[in-house]
Amino acid sequence: MNASPGLLDEDEVSEYATFSHGLYIGGQWRPSSDGRVIEVVDPSTESVIAAVPDATLADAAAAVDAAAKAAAAWRETAPRKRSEILRRCFELMTERAETLAVLISLENGKALRDARSEVAYAAEFFRWNAEEAVRISGEFGLAPSGANRIVVDYQPIGICVLITPWNFPAAMATRKIAPALAAGCTVILKPASETPLTAYALAALYEDAGVPPGVVNVLTTSKPGPLTAAMLADPRVRKLSFTGSTGVGRVLLAEAARHVISCSMELGGNAPFVVFDDADLEAALDGAMIAKMRNAGEACTAANRLYVQAGIHDAFAEGLRKRMAALKVGPGTDVETECGPMITRKALEKIDRLVKDAVRRGAKVLCGGAASDDKGFFYPPTVLCDVAPDSEMAHEEIFGPVAPIMRFDDEAEVIARANDTEYGLAAYIYTRDLAKGMRVASRIESGMIALNRGLMSDPAAPFGGVKQSGLGREGGQKHGISEFLEAKYIAVTM
């Protein structure tokens, strides 16, 4: 397959779309039980590039059956063997990186440079968890009474339902699948219907790496609510891991509570990006461009509120304007593109609504600020200043290439404003004073802080939020894999 960068012709698009083989259940590719399909749209052109099966309740039941059938053998597979399979997944992802990156750009719209970074990041979850698979240890101790020994064994939690979003179709899947498999669990992945092709391409890769049939199953559906509810109602399913909006997360938590299902939730964000007067201006601008424009702002960790201290405010605003205005907007598969389209027309309209609301409340547009009338869901990189605290975008995820700048005067003020949100996923701080940076970091209510950095994600670090941004952690030393393990206590008289 030609995976060279640049615009794809119709034949190449068709070739990439063949990654849709059908639902992947029990190691077999199959259509949906009623023959219905979901169309996949290229957000750069608004053209249909593929159709994938639209799973039914019967298909969901079949996936649970397949995961259950494979569970005992995979659970008993030696940790070293599981580790070697996961390592092979990493190697194959690395070998096929360019093909996967172009596929992501095609169905998601993200710039090819971002897609390449995503594939590298996604592959690392397999390498990291290949190493963790052989390091699951128990505990042995003496009871305080001295009467018996306390033995704690860690076992796979069971069948896991994994639900992933469209914005990182490779990384959000591997961040869940890799630790689940390392722990000895079998899984059912429900990827976003906007970006299913990557999930199916990875399913084929897992098979090539030696993952046994039924250990990983993939379902695409236009009816995620009923299908998820049906799977959670099956007593063999013991885990739900979800990445997506807080609103949907609340619904899923309620459904899981009916069946006492263990849940991991990585939900919405409203990340503050705080720049103090003593910050290195160029470093802060570099960081802002990464934190804001990674994946064109379509990330839960994206800088959503840029608080800049009065003394550096004007220089920062002008510097950011120049950089944002210079970005090349275009199709994700074009190697020169720096900002691709938004995922859907609905997403584009939301961004436009938030910008217009901010302008009505007094914000000034420094660059961008209006959606294109051309084909594709494009919104230009936009910088706003003098954004009012009561603007909708100060309280709602923008999920797009819009940087709202707000002035502040002192440390206490910016901490209060940063914490004035129901979310608490990510935050960014720029200052040359390390003591101040650590002090502010300890007071900002967020699960993750990037201090003088524009990027925080790392497979070796625990990813997750506080407040309405989620439950549990993904990645990190034992944090990620522990979400898929249960502790079993055995009292022993010796």
Side-chain angles (χ1 to χ4, degrees):
M1 176 175 292
N2 175 20
S4 60
L7 296 175
L8 303 182
D9 60 31
E10 290 185 5
D11 289 340
E12 288 175 312
V13 170
S14 177
E15 191 174 0
Y16 276 95
T18 61
F19 277 118
S20 170
H21 303 299
L23 303 174
Y24 188 67
I25 300 174
Q28 300 294 318
W29 300 97
R30 51 190 273 184
S32 65
S33 60
D34 66 3
R36 293 180 183 273
V37 297
I38 303 169
E39 292 183 336
V40 183
V41 174
D42 176 355
S44 295
T45 63
E46 302 184 48
S47 61
V48 175
I49 57 174
V52 298
D54 190 355
T56 65
L57 293 176
D59 297 321
V64 176
D65 287 342
K69 183 178 179 181
W74 184 246
R75 175 191 179 105
E76 298 304 321
T77 298
R80 177 60 68 194
K81 179 64 174 177
R82 293 201 300 263
S83 173
E84 289 169 351
I85 291 173
L86 292 174
R87 176 72 189 196
R88 184 58 180 151
C89 288
F90 163 76
E91 292 167 351
L92 288 179
M93 284 195 72
T94 302
E95 290 172 12
R96 302 175 188 180
E98 188 66 8
T99 295
L100 290 168
V102 177
L103 181 61
I104 290 170
S105 292
L106 181 62
E107 67 173 345
N108 172 278
K110 72 171 61 183
L112 192 57
R113 66 175 188 176
D114 285 340
R116 288 168 174 160
S117 296
E118 180 186 346
V119 173
Y121 175 55
E124 281 296 327
F125 285 104
F126 281 115
R127 177 156 62 173
W128 176 261
N129 284 284
E131 297 161 352
E132 288 298 300
V134 295
R135 291 176 174 80
I136 301 172
S137 58
E139 302 165 21
F140 180 82
L142 179 66
S145 67
N148 61 279
R149 299 288 179 172
I150 296 174
V151 177
V152 180
D153 186 23
Y154 289 92
Q155 301 181 339
I157 197 169
I159 298 174
C160 307
V161 173
L162 313 176
I163 303 176
T164 54
W166 50 262
N167 58 337
F168 290 91
M172 296 302 95
T174 62
R175 194 161 74 183
K176 299 177 189 298
I177 290 172
L181 268 55
C185 300
T186 58
V187 306
I188 303 159
L189 174 68
K190 203 293 292 178
S193 58
E194 294 88 351
T195 54
L197 303 181
T198 302
Y200 285 127
L202 289 173
L205 182 149
Y206 306 149
E207 184 176 306
D208 292 344
V211 175
V215 172
V216 176
N217 306 275
V218 183
L219 298 174
T220 43
T221 180
S222 63
K223 304 171 286 292
L227 261 72
T228 302
M231 289 189 287
L232 295 182
D234 191 310
R236 295 172 294 180
V237 172
R238 299 309 312 146
K239 179 74 181 183
L240 170 64
S241 180
F242 170 75
T243 298
S245 72
T246 296
V248 174
R250 290 172 181 143
V251 173
L252 290 173
L253 280 168
E255 186 63 39
R258 295 179 57 200
H259 308 289
V260 195
I261 300 291
S262 171
C263 291
S264 298
M265 295 275 156
E266 195 266 282
L267 306 177
N270 189 7
F273 188 98
V274 179
V275 183
F276 286 98
D277 281 343
D278 63 355
D280 180 320
L281 176 60
E282 291 305 311
L285 289 169
D286 289 343
M289 290 299 294
I290 297 171
K292 176 71 265 182
M293 292 305 295
R294 180 172 174 242
N295 197 32
E298 293 178 309
C300 56
T301 56
N304 207 60
R305 299 168 291 153
L306 283 72
Y307 295 111
V308 184
Q309 200 162 15
I312 201 173
H313 175 278
D314 292 350
F316 180 90
E318 176 58 17
L320 190 62
R321 182 199 67 77
K322 287 181 179 179
R323 294 185 183 214
M324 293 279 277
L327 292 177
K328 178 177 173 55
V329 177
T333 54
D334 186 337
V335 70
E336 296 184 355
T337 292
E338 296 171 295
C339 179
M342 302 300 97
I343 188 66
T344 61
R345 175 68 59 186
K346 182 179 179 181
L348 184 67
E349 291 171 351
K350 174 190 172 183
I351 296 166
D352 192 52
R353 170 178 61 81
L354 292 175
V355 170
K356 288 178 178 176
D357 170 77
V359 171
R360 279 197 302 269
R361 297 174 192 267
K364 297 176 183 176
V365 178
L366 301 185
C367 68
S372 169
D373 293 328
D374 297 335
K375 269 289 188 186
F377 310 129
F378 294 99
Y379 198 91
T382 297
V383 179
L384 306 176
C385 69
D386 299 333
V387 177
D390 61 350
S391 296
E392 291 179 9
M393 67 172 55
H395 303 277
E396 186 176 343
E397 273 191 294
I398 301 169
F399 239 66
V402 178
I405 301 175
M406 292 165 269
R407 191 188 306 260
F408 76 93
D409 292 316
D410 58 49
E411 182 179 316
E413 174 197 352
V414 77
I415 291 171
R417 293 175 67 180
N419 290 338
D420 185 21
T421 174
E422 66 177 356
Y423 301 105
L425 182 62
Y428 304 84
I429 303 167
Y430 273 80
T431 175
R432 284 191 174 96
D433 185 339
L434 182 59
K436 177 166 67 177
M438 293 298 292
R439 181 174 66 247
V440 173
S442 70
R443 294 177 62 190
I444 288 182
E445 298 165 350
S446 178
M448 301 178 290
I449 304 283
L451 181 54
N452 293 322
R453 288 177 54 86
L455 181 66
M456 61 186 62
S457 301
D458 192 311
F463 188 103
V466 299
K467 302 197 303 190
Q468 296 294 303
S469 286
L471 302 169
R473 293 295 184 269
E474 295 181 314
Q477 294 184 344
K478 299 188 181 299
H479 297 89
I481 199 168
S482 67
E483 296 287 337
F484 298 95
L485 294 168
E486 283 194 312
K488 176 179 283 188
Y489 158 53
I490 305 170
V492 182
T493 299
M494 309 217 24

